[in-house]
Structures are given as structure tokens and as C-alpha cells.
Amino acid sequence: MSQNSSLSATTPPRPQAGSPGRLVRKTAVELVVDELRDRILSGAIPPGSALRQELFAEELGVSRLPVREAIRQLSAEGLIDMIPHRGAYVSMLSRAEVQEFFDIRLRLEPWLLRLAVQQRNVQDLELASQVVAQMDTAEPEQWGRLNWQLHELLYRSAQRPAALAMVRALHEKSERYFRFQIVNAPIRQQAHDEHSALIAFARHGQAEQAEVALERHIAEAADQILAIVDHLLDASALQEPA
């Protein structure tokens, strides 16, 4: 949507769950959630920005109630910070945090994948291929969850539950940054190709090739996300008063 769009206009219908063929329109809350999420992830509302409910309600052509509920939902997603006695702010980004997450991933995940390939599970690899297909059309808010599902399927036959739990925690903490990546970088085809290559190496028992490919995959994702974070932080700094 554009920044000046009104949400009171007629919206595209979507299929209603449990009722094949029947269509239902999005609620005002869902529309506000989509609009605010898009603006935050694209950087149109920079990190650290205050979110004024009355201004958004007026601009989007809705009451303050759906805006308030949308902010609550996006706070649960980690995109908005609710600060007592101050209000709602777009969550800040941390370059150092991103760098640390990916540094640890680069040390743990290639090792896990090498072990997993040596004890590969064909059923897990088939499921991984299905997840890759889902990621091709996933919404940004689904990307991080599916990305973790894929990597978990690739690693879990390594039978290293403590290490896998550490990697899961890193992926969960990185989910917000994955959303910025999928919105701001044309990575769907690249991700599809790289994930498919990892699965192919695993199927053929090529542990060394899989390990090298995963190292490259993680390093390139880190470069992309760090570049996006730098851009968003620069944009935020430019909007700060002198």
C-alpha cells in the first residue's frame, strides 16, 4: 500500500477458512497491521520512530481502536517496543547483534550439517524440499519460521540436541532481521537455489560440499542483512533533529 492510502476503501477479499469458495474481506485491524508492518520492514518508518495512534487513525481512515490493536500485535512480533508512560516506538536495530548472531551460526551450523549428512534421513530431506517450495511464496512474517523449519530438518539427524537448541534460539532472535531481508532484497530465487543445493548435497552424502555451501549461504545472508540494517540506521539518523 502507499503511505497515503486510506483503509476504509474496499479491500481485496480472501478465502474464508473452512468454507471453500467463500470469500471474506480483511478486518480493519488486519489492514492496519499489514500497512504498519510494511512501512516498518521497508524502512518507511525508521527504527526508533514514535507511533502516534491518532495520526495513523486519521491518515488510514479508521478509528483508533484498530490502530491500538495493530500496535499490540506488532509489539508481540518484536517490531514495536511499548515503553511505559512514553508510548509505542519502532524497535531499534543492532548491527553488533546481527554480526554476533551470524558469527555463531557460521561456527555451529556447518558442523551440524556435516554430521547430519553423514547420518542423513531421507524423510527429513523430502520434508525440507516441501518447505523450500513454501518459502517461494511466503509472506515476510512467515519467512523466519519457515527458514528455521528448513534448517532444522537439515540438521536434526546430527543428533546433537544441545547444539540444535542453540541454533534454534539464534534463528528465533534473528527472525526480525530475516523479515527485513525478504522485504528489502530480491533473495527468493537465490534462497531457493541455495537451499535446494544444500538438500541435494545432503541426499548424495556430500558432507564436505554441503558444509562449504552452507558457510557461503550464511555469510552472504549476513552481508545482505547487515547492509539493510546499515541503510535503515542511516535513514533513521538522518531523520533525527540536529
Side-chain angles (χ1 to χ4, degrees):
M1 297 182 186
S2 67
Q3 276 192 260
N4 297 317
S5 60
S6 170
L7 301 185
S8 59
T10 302
T11 57
R14 56 185 170 87
Q16 184 180 44
S19 302
R22 186 179 177 184
L23 299 177
V24 61
R25 300 187 184 281
K26 286 187 175 184
T27 66
V29 171
E30 290 172 324
L31 289 166
V32 176
V33 167
D34 289 347
E35 180 74 12
L36 291 183
R37 185 192 289 118
D38 286 348
R39 294 190 190 186
I40 292 170
L41 292 176
S42 68
I45 306 178
S49 298
L51 299 172
R52 306 301 181 197
Q53 295 181 22
E54 62 278 8
L55 294 180
F56 280 112
E58 181 179 356
E59 178 187 346
L60 302 179
V62 297
S63 70
R64 291 178 61 177
L65 184 61
V67 175
R68 187 180 307 121
E69 175 59 21
I71 288 174
R72 187 193 67 77
Q73 289 187 29
L74 294 174
S75 175
E77 293 183 15
L79 296 179
I80 291 174
D81 292 331
M82 302 294 294
I83 302 177
H85 312 299
R86 291 187 58 193
Y89 294 79
V90 177
S91 298
M92 290 300 296
L93 304 175
S94 170
R95 192 183 202 284
E97 181 178 64
V98 175
Q99 187 68 68
E100 183 178 8
F101 289 165
F102 279 94
D103 285 347
I104 299 171
R105 287 188 60 194
L106 272 169
R107 284 154 177 79
L108 278 179
E109 294 185 42
W111 167 68
L112 276 175
L113 183 59
R114 174 184 279 271
L115 293 177
V117 171
Q118 292 169 354
Q119 307 175 69
R120 60 191 178 280
N121 182 302
V122 175
Q123 185 176 3
D124 281 352
L125 296 176
E126 289 300 323
L127 291 172
S129 293
Q130 295 174 24
V131 175
V132 169
Q134 293 177 49
M135 293 175 75
D136 289 342
T137 56
E139 297 295 330
E141 63 270 23
Q142 300 170 325
W143 181 265
R145 176 181 56 82
L146 289 171
N147 188 64
W148 167 245
Q149 285 182 12
L150 170 65
H151 284 266
E152 183 181 30
L153 288 165
L154 287 172
Y155 306 153
R156 68 182 181 185
S157 60
Q159 299 179 33
R160 294 294 190 275
L164 192 63
M166 294 177 194
V167 174
R168 176 195 289 270
L170 289 170
H171 276 253
E172 289 175 349
K173 290 177 181 178
S174 302
E175 182 173 352
R176 182 188 185 198
Y177 298 107
F178 289 134
R179 296 188 193 188
F180 281 107
Q181 182 191 27
I182 193 61
V183 166
N184 291 279
I187 66 159
R188 285 193 189 268
Q189 189 58 51
Q190 177 186 350
H192 177 99
D193 294 343
E194 292 177 1
H195 289 150
S196 297
L198 291 173
I199 294 169
F201 286 135
R203 280 199 178 108
H204 292 93
Q206 297 172 302
E208 183 175 349
Q209 292 93 325
E211 186 176 12
V212 171
L214 181 58
E215 288 174 350
R216 184 168 57 249
H217 173 69
I218 294 173
E220 289 180 356
D223 288 344
Q224 288 177 340
I225 291 178
L226 286 168
I228 293 164
V229 168
D230 286 342
H231 171 74
L232 294 173
L233 290 176
D234 288 345
S236 180
L238 288 173
Q239 293 200 10
E240 292 180 1

